[in-house]
Amino acid sequence: MQDLHTYLADFVSLIFPQLCPACHASLMANEDILCTDCLYNLPFTNFHQQPDNIVAQQFWGKFNIEAAYALYYFNKGGKVQNMVHEFKYNGMHRIGNKLGNIAGKQLMQNPVFATVDYIIPVPLHKKRMKTRGYNQSACFAEGLADRLNAVIEIDNLIRTVATDTQTHRSRFARFQNMQEVFAVADTDKLAGKHILLVDDIITTGSTLEACGIELLKVPGLKLSIATIAYAE
């Protein structure tokens, strides 16, 4: 019976091949979401081993963070960009869970991240959420939570303004565009807690900065940051 199931699975994959979202190669029967080559050879940053990494440096002098991290380097036209595009725009939300698990395994090696109480994804405005159907940062958060034994807070940090795309804006314009966009719904719940704020890609850090400034208004809150990729 097992041989029959394997045969049928192979036949279905032949007719409707499952492709790796990073390199677009056909997945083998024992591969899940990412092919083996991409699983091990995408450009890891190893920032979990570097407290003063370049993501952390982006927030120096702006607000206090405990630690900052990105899983991969993001290069235009590269495999990570392919993967993120499939994740954000083509409905492949399971990629986020997979990447969250990979990132969480790394972060377990860093004692700072072991103290996280809540994981908060950067929120989408309800209009964009309705269009896309899911928040990619929340999918990433789910995978992280499985590894870090932390609780996801989906509705506590809210986006009150629907902003335009940040893609072609300068760093200053991005920061201006994100002013007074976010709010915390229940400050008492977060008081004195260690929060891991997560997003998909960090470029200038303006969105994370706006979220972080709002979160740090909560008494006693400690903040760390994690993203899927850092765009050089």
Side-chain angles (χ1 to χ4, degrees):
M1 184 63 71
Q2 184 64 40
D3 290 341
L4 177 59
H5 287 164
T6 302
Y7 174 80
L8 290 174
D10 290 342
F11 177 77
V12 170
S13 66
L14 181 65
I15 305 300
F16 303 103
Q18 298 294 308
L19 304 180
C20 173
C23 69
H24 301 144
S26 296
L27 295 179
M28 304 296 288
N30 62 336
E31 294 176 330
D32 179 38
I33 300 178
L34 292 174
C35 71
T36 301
D37 183 62
C38 288
L39 183 64
Y40 291 103
N41 295 317
L42 287 176
F44 289 106
T45 66
N46 293 314
F47 285 167
H48 61 294
Q49 300 173 342
Q50 305 167 28
D52 296 336
N53 64 69
I54 197 167
V55 174
Q57 291 177 28
Q58 290 204 22
F59 303 105
W60 288 358
K62 297 171 184 174
F63 55 84
N64 292 326
I65 58 172
E66 306 300 308
Y69 163 88
L71 176 61
Y72 299 119
Y73 288 106
F74 180 102
N75 296 304
K76 190 171 183 179
K79 293 180 180 180
V80 173
Q81 184 182 36
N82 293 340
M83 179 172 60
V84 171
H85 182 85
E86 295 293 334
F87 176 34
K88 291 179 67 171
Y89 304 114
N90 289 337
M92 294 187 65
H93 54 84
R94 289 182 61 233
I95 295 173
N97 300 144
K98 180 76 170 182
L99 300 182
N101 267 271
I102 295 170
K105 186 176 181 180
Q106 289 190 353
L107 294 183
M108 287 172 64
Q109 302 172 34
N110 186 321
V112 175
F113 290 98
T115 66
V116 167
D117 298 296
Y118 293 115
I119 300 176
I120 295 183
V122 169
L124 293 179
H125 191 269
K126 58 184 180 181
K127 290 182 180 179
R128 185 166 295 178
M129 184 70 175
K130 184 176 181 180
T131 300
R132 187 170 295 170
Y134 59 94
N135 180 349
Q136 70 275 5
S137 297
C139 297
F140 182 53
E142 289 171 3
L144 283 168
D146 288 342
R147 290 285 188 176
L148 296 178
N149 196 29
V151 177
I152 302 176
E153 275 284 290
I154 296 292
D155 300 319
N156 211 333
L157 181 65
I158 57 176
R159 187 184 289 252
T160 58
V161 178
T163 54
D164 297 328
T165 180
Q166 299 273 73
T167 304
H168 302 295
R169 295 176 183 266
S170 67
R171 192 200 185 289
F172 180 74
R174 289 181 185 217
F175 178 76
Q176 289 291 100
N177 192 46
M178 300 309 296
Q179 294 303 291
E180 300 181 355
V181 168
F182 301 99
V184 176
D186 184 356
T187 58
D188 290 342
K189 189 171 185 178
L190 302 183
K193 302 298 184 181
H194 184 184
I195 304 303
L196 180 59
L197 176 66
V198 303
D199 202 1
D200 52 3
I201 307 297
I202 179 170
T203 49
T204 65
S206 56
T207 301
L208 289 164
E209 184 177 345
C211 291
I213 289 172
E214 196 63 35
L215 284 166
L216 286 168
K217 293 177 183 178
V218 176
L221 185 143
K222 296 188 295 183
L223 183 67
S224 292
I225 287 169
T227 67
I228 293 172
Y230 164 70
E232 298 180 279

